[in-house]
Amino acid sequence: MMRIGSHLPAWFWRPVGRLVVAFLTTFPPRHMRQWQLNYAVMTGHRPSWNTTRRAFGRWVENMMCSLQLDHWSEKKIRSRVILENPEGWAGVHRAFQEGGLVAALPHMGSWDLVGAFACLDGLPVSSVAEALPDGQFEYFRSLRERLGFRIFSVRYRGVYNKLADDLDEGRVICLVADRDFSRRGLPVHWDTPDGPRDQTMPPGPALLAQQGHRPLVGVVTWFGPRHRLHVLVTDLIHVGSGEQELVRASQQLADFFSRQISDHPLDWLMLQRFFRGVTA
């Protein structure tokens, strides 16, 4: 399926995708209903049929962009990315020149496209992929390697050490922040219209930054007009020693993510359970 999807022309997959999304919005499966519940918590109201359709239209855009990136020219990749705060991106470059850094993202927009942009911009990226079947994982990894990524399977028991080695090598470690390397999250609160909600944040991004003695940044992305990807980067977060420093850095990420998700909820493609007690 990945091989087929990576070669489908936009004139075909965009209209077909709209039809499929309209059908699924009318008869939503469980993962779509879960997204609607998550959206309601973050915005204070349930999404309409049209809002759900638009959000999953972006999900299709994200998926097809990820599959087809290795066929894109450098010019096309660069033309699709808008840096919201170039000074933040410059800070990432300075940190990289001093020896690598860790970037954490939520499930928002397309981290694949911003990763490809980073590789073109001289920032080699290492990351992890979902627990795909072996054949699909190898194909996905080969796609990313052609773009300059180094990809490890999240199922690999030594993945944390591999990423730590890549950080020591001076690479950018790019992690979607809901992917964990332990079964114990860090306590944070997540801002919502109904007030703060107690949550846990996976420790992976802050822990890698702490143990590698490198800075951490939060990154969010969202799709705008003409399918262009907007990228916003935080200031560098320096993680000191001890568990409280891990919690502090993770809370900074949670504050940043929750503000940006509230501003761009259609791009927050969280299809899994996220808030305690909120289950489709």
Side-chain angles (χ1 to χ4, degrees):
M1 291 298 291
M2 283 188 176
R3 291 179 188 274
I4 294 172
S6 67
H7 294 284
L8 291 176
W11 61 260
F12 176 81
W13 66 257
R14 280 208 173 99
V16 171
R18 284 194 290 268
L19 289 173
V20 171
V21 167
F23 175 82
L24 293 177
T25 304
T26 304
F27 305 100
R30 181 173 61 84
H31 288 308
M32 187 177 277
R33 297 196 306 273
Q34 185 63 58
W35 176 84
Q36 291 173 322
L37 293 175
N38 294 338
Y39 175 99
V41 174
M42 283 305 302
T43 63
H45 57 84
R46 287 186 64 85
S48 65
W49 185 93
N50 192 49
T51 295
T52 303
R53 179 191 61 80
R54 290 171 59 206
F56 280 82
R58 297 187 189 194
W59 182 85
V60 172
E61 186 75 28
N62 181 16
M63 178 181 67
M64 296 306 296
C65 169
S66 294
L67 287 177
Q68 298 190 347
L69 266 175
D70 74 315
H71 303 317
W72 290 16
S73 66
E74 177 176 344
K75 180 179 179 181
K76 183 174 181 179
I77 290 173
R78 290 187 181 277
S79 69
R80 288 290 188 94
V81 174
I82 296 176
L83 297 176
E84 288 288 314
N85 59 335
E87 69 281 1
W89 195 254
V92 168
H93 270 279
R94 287 192 296 272
F96 169 75
Q97 290 165 3
E98 295 172 3
L101 75 159
V102 180
L105 298 86
H107 257 312
M108 191 174 176
S110 173
W111 76 268
D112 288 319
L113 179 52
V114 73
F117 179 85
C119 288
L120 288 175
D121 222 30
L123 301 169
V125 169
S126 294
S127 190
V128 295
E130 301 266 5
L132 299 169
D134 288 340
Q136 290 186 39
F137 174 76
E138 291 304 322
Y139 181 69
F140 179 84
R141 182 166 65 180
S142 69
L143 291 179
R144 293 299 167 263
E145 285 177 349
R146 291 199 286 272
L147 291 165
F149 287 54
R150 188 178 291 168
I151 298 290
F152 304 104
S153 172
V154 75
R155 290 188 302 179
Y156 178 56
R157 293 184 64 182
V159 65
Y160 181 89
N161 291 332
K162 288 286 187 182
L163 292 171
D165 289 344
D166 278 15
L167 185 61
D168 288 341
E169 188 182 311
R171 295 177 68 88
V172 177
I173 309 303
C174 179
L175 295 172
V176 178
D178 65 333
R179 295 197 182 136
D180 202 351
F181 299 112
S182 78
R183 296 188 179 276
R184 185 173 68 90
L186 297 168
V188 298
H189 62 264
W190 199 267
D191 290 332
T192 73
D194 294 328
R197 295 181 69 107
D198 290 337
Q199 291 287 111
T200 58
M201 175 74 80
L207 190 62
L208 273 170
Q210 183 188 66
Q211 295 187 348
H213 306 288
R214 300 304 306 144
L216 171 68
V217 294
V219 183
V220 294
T221 62
W222 65 90
F223 284 109
R226 299 170 58 194
H227 313 294
R228 298 177 79 183
L229 190 75
H230 295 249
V231 180
L232 182 66
V233 184
T234 64
D235 292 335
L236 300 181
I237 301 170
H238 295 280
V239 188
S241 60
E243 184 172 346
Q244 286 307 307
E245 276 292 293
L246 291 177
V247 174
R248 180 194 61 79
S250 298
Q251 184 62 62
Q252 282 188 250
L253 290 177
D255 292 342
F256 175 61
F257 291 159
S258 60
R259 285 195 304 270
Q260 297 305 317
I261 288 167
S262 295
D263 289 343
H264 308 283
L266 295 185
D267 291 273
W268 187 46
L269 302 173
M270 175 51 66
L271 312 186
Q272 293 80 37
R273 288 180 295 175
F274 187 79
F275 297 106
R276 293 174 183 173
V278 179
T279 304

